[in-house]
Amino acid sequence: FFTILRNPNSALEKLDITGIAINDSIMISIANSLARNKKLIELQAGLLNWNITADGWRAFSRTMCNKSSILSTHQSNHTLQKLCQEDMEIALPADIRSLLVVNREHRSQAARHKIIKSHFSGSHVNIQPFAKMELKVIPFVLAWMAQDSVINTNTGWGNGCSLLYQF
């Protein structure tokens, strides 16, 4: 099934792999397969057969929100909304749960939310990416930053103040 997940032309939106024992190696393969997948919304997996350590979850988290650069965050997976039954979601690591919620509840703005939370929140805001931008791009970036409903750094999501206002 990794080949299907990796295929950019795949129309698969739901996949049930309940019953498959999942370890770090399989989780990392799933994460790598989903990195550029824009179709799969639901990956049903039974958590009972899982033997995943921090390494496997870290790979999956990086697929959902690669924080290495703004572009990498933008190119992360913003489509996957479910990894298991909702009543089992509590067993997932908090960051994975949070990213799935962002994809589910902020579907059209998931990339924007992840970029702001990862690169423009907290006390250490990095403005270096702006120094490297072409001048003709900066007005578009400023307009993007001026949109409302930016992430609240205390609660995690949406405070109504634009990122531009916060600068």
Side-chain angles (χ1 to χ4, degrees), residues 61-119:
S61 181
R62 192 171 36 253
T63 293
M64 300 285 293
C65 184
N66 185 335
K67 299 175 184 178
S68 63
S69 70
I70 292 172
L71 181 60
S72 296
T73 304
H74 187 268
Q75 292 175 339
S76 298
N77 183 300
H78 310 299
T79 309
L80 187 67
Q81 299 175 16
K82 288 179 82 175
L83 189 55
C84 59
Q85 296 293 337
E86 287 182 39
D87 59 335
M88 299 293 284
E89 220 171 68
I90 194 71
L92 297 173
D95 65 325
I96 303 291
R97 279 195 320 266
S98 176
L99 292 167
L100 290 169
V101 167
V102 170
N103 286 359
R104 192 167 44 239
E105 295 180 5
H106 304 281
R107 181 145 185 172
S108 65
Q109 293 289 314
R112 182 172 180 269
H113 279 265
K114 292 176 186 179
I115 288 168
I116 292 168
K117 188 169 184 175
S118 300
H119 302 281

Side-chain angles (χ1 to χ4, degrees), residues 8-141:
N9 297 319
S10 171
L12 186 66
E13 292 184 359
K14 293 182 182 181
L15 178 63
D16 189 336
I17 58 171
T18 304
I20 295 176
I22 299 178
N23 58 23
D24 280 345
S25 174
I26 293 172
M27 180 56 93
I28 291 168
S29 293
I30 291 170
N32 291 339
S33 298
L34 289 173
R36 300 268 191 252
N37 186 295
K38 304 294 183 217
K39 295 287 184 184
L40 191 72
I41 296 169
E42 191 174 318
L43 179 64
Q44 283 297 331
L47 297 177
L48 300 176
N49 296 330
W50 290 20
N51 184 21
I52 303 168
T53 67
D55 291 338
W57 288 119
R58 199 171 13 260
F60 200 82
S61 181
R62 192 171 36 253
T63 293
M64 300 285 293
C65 184
N66 185 335
K67 299 175 184 178
S68 63
S69 70
I70 292 172
L71 181 60
S72 296
T73 304
H74 187 268
Q75 292 175 339
S76 298
N77 183 300
H78 310 299
T79 309
L80 187 67
Q81 299 175 16
K82 288 179 82 175
L83 189 55
C84 59
Q85 296 293 337
E86 287 182 39
D87 59 335
M88 299 293 284
E89 220 171 68
I90 194 71
L92 297 173
D95 65 325
I96 303 291
R97 279 195 320 266
S98 176
L99 292 167
L100 290 169
V101 167
V102 170
N103 286 359
R104 192 167 44 239
E105 295 180 5
H106 304 281
R107 181 145 185 172
S108 65
Q109 293 289 314
R112 182 172 180 269
H113 279 265
K114 292 176 186 179
I115 288 168
I116 292 168
K117 188 169 184 175
S118 300
H119 302 281
F120 299 106
S121 64
S123 59
H124 302 292
V125 176
N126 180 9
I127 61 169
Q128 275 301 105
F130 299 108
K132 298 175 185 175
M133 289 182 185
E134 292 182 39
L135 262 127
K136 64 183 179 184
V137 174
I138 292 177
F140 296 104
V141 172

